[in-house]
Amino acid sequence: MPRTRTGLERLLDRPGPVRGLRVGLVVNPSSITADLAHASVALHAKRGVRLVALFGPEHGIAADAQDLVEVGHSRDRETGLPVHSLYGETRVPTPQMLAGVDAMVYDVQDVGSRYYTFVYTMLHVMEACARERKRVVVLDRPNPLGGRALDGNVLDPEYRSFVGMHPLAVRHGMTSGELALLFKEELALDVDLHVVPMTGWKRGMAFEDTGLPWVLPSPNMPTVDTAWVYPGGCLIEGTNLSEGRGTTRPFELVGAPWLDGPALARAMERERLPGCGFRA
C-alpha cells in the first residue's frame, strides 16, 4: 500500500467537487492511480461524474510529441471522448472548448522545476475558467524533489514566457496544488478553485519515498533521476550545446559535434563541484 495517496485517488473515493457536473480533464500518461489506472478511464466509469472532454498539455495526452512539437486535436481511443490540445493552435482553453464543461479537473505529474510547462497549462486553465465562470479542481501530486529545498534564481517578470510565467525559483519546492493556490492569490484570480490534497506526503519526501509508480510525464523525463538533474541540466538549453534530449540519459549527457569532450571533462573536474563527476 503506498504511503502517499494522490488527489486523484481521493477524488475517486469522494467525488463531491465534480459530482453531477460536466467535467473536462487535463491529463497525460502520468495521470494514474497507484495501481496504474488512468484518470480518464477511472473518472469516465465513475458513477455521478460526467466526463465530457479531455485536454492535453505539452507533448499531448500520450506524452509522445517531442519538445516544441505542437499537437492537434484528436479523439481518445479508450473513452471515445474529444481531446482538445492545449499545445497547438492555442495554449489557453477557448470559450468554445469550455462551453459544454462545468468543471475543469487538472491531474498531471510535475517535476518541481520552474520551466516545466504543465503548471502553466494549469494556470491558463485557471485564467480561462475565471473568465468563463467554471470550477477548477486540481488533484495534487508529490513534488518529486521534495518540498523543503529551494534553489536557483527567481524569474525576472521581464522574461515571462510559457517556460516561466510566474516569479518562482528554478527549484520551487511546491506541489501543483500549492502552486494553484499561490497563482490564485498572487494573481487575484476570481476562480472557483478546489484543490484535492494528498494524504501521507511530507515535505521531506523524495518521490522514491512515496511508494507511487513513476510514469514518464514527457518524452525526456524517463526516470526520477532525470527529474533530479533537470533543474540544472535544462539550463544547457540556453547555450549552443545539446542537453541530451533523445539520448538514453537526457539532461545528464551534454555535447556538440565540435566539442572537445575530454578537455571539457578535465576543466569541469578542476572546479571540484561537490557530488559531481564528469567523463567524456
Side-chain angles (χ1 to χ4, degrees):
M1 183 71 177
R3 282 178 265 174
T4 299
R5 298 191 76 242
T6 64
L8 171 61
E9 292 165 313
R10 299 196 65 220
L11 184 75
L12 290 169
D13 286 345
R14 296 190 174 185
V18 295
R19 190 181 298 279
L21 302 180
R22 296 170 299 172
V23 172
L25 179 63
V26 183
V27 284
N28 74 1
S30 69
S31 313
I32 55 164
T33 64
D35 58 1
L36 301 181
H38 194 266
S40 62
V41 176
L43 284 170
H44 195 241
K46 187 70 179 177
R47 183 183 291 251
V49 178
R50 187 181 170 193
L51 186 61
V52 297
L54 305 179
F55 293 76
E58 185 178 5
H59 309 293
I61 66 164
D64 56 0
Q66 278 293 335
D67 180 49
L68 300 178
V69 174
E70 294 192 340
V71 179
H73 307 305
S74 61
R75 188 164 292 275
D76 181 51
R77 284 187 286 183
E78 185 76 18
T79 62
L81 295 171
V83 178
H84 301 298
S85 173
L86 297 180
Y87 198 81
E89 298 171 356
T90 180
R91 303 284 192 269
V92 182
T94 65
Q96 292 76 19
M97 292 177 184
L98 297 177
V101 169
D102 302 312
M104 286 287 286
V105 175
Y106 175 90
D107 182 36
V108 182
Q109 178 64 56
D110 186 46
V111 301
S113 296
R114 180 183 73 214
Y115 25 74
Y116 208 57
T117 63
F118 296 152
V119 295
Y120 304 124
T121 292
M122 179 181 73
L123 174 55
H124 280 324
V125 166
M126 292 172 62
E127 291 170 331
C129 288
R131 290 191 296 270
E132 301 297 320
R133 314 311 301 168
K134 310 287 184 178
R135 175 173 293 181
V136 176
V137 180
V138 174
L139 308 183
D140 213 3
R141 288 185 174 272
N143 183 324
L145 310 183
R148 285 184 179 163
L150 282 74
D151 201 5
N153 68 313
V154 174
L155 178 72
D156 183 338
E158 182 179 348
Y159 298 99
R160 186 177 184 271
S161 74
F162 195 55
V163 290
M165 292 184 62
H166 200 76
L168 304 171
V170 169
R171 181 174 168 183
H172 51 67
M174 286 180 277
T175 68
S176 296
E178 290 170 339
L179 285 169
L181 293 168
L182 180 141
F183 292 155
K184 179 181 179 179
E185 176 72 20
E186 295 195 349
L187 297 174
L189 294 176
D190 183 15
V191 62
D192 179 18
L193 174 65
H194 295 248
V195 174
V196 181
M198 298 172 282
T199 57
W201 186 75
K202 297 180 180 178
R203 306 207 73 80
M205 281 184 172
F207 192 86
E208 298 91 330
D209 300 325
T210 66
L212 296 169
W214 178 265
V215 172
L216 66 170
S218 57
N220 290 288
M221 196 61 60
T223 69
V224 180
D225 284 347
T226 320
W228 281 106
V229 301
Y230 180 75
C234 192
L235 294 174
I236 300 300
E237 274 189 15
T239 73
N240 59 353
L241 303 179
S242 165
E243 74 278 33
R245 289 182 188 270
T247 72
T248 57
R249 306 292 289 191
F251 308 107
E252 295 180 55
L253 299 176
V254 173
W258 44 264
L259 193 66
D260 185 337
L264 177 61
R266 289 192 297 270
M268 295 302 295
E269 285 289 357
R270 287 196 293 271
E271 296 295 322
R272 300 184 182 279
L273 300 174
C276 296
F278 302 89
R279 65 180 178 86

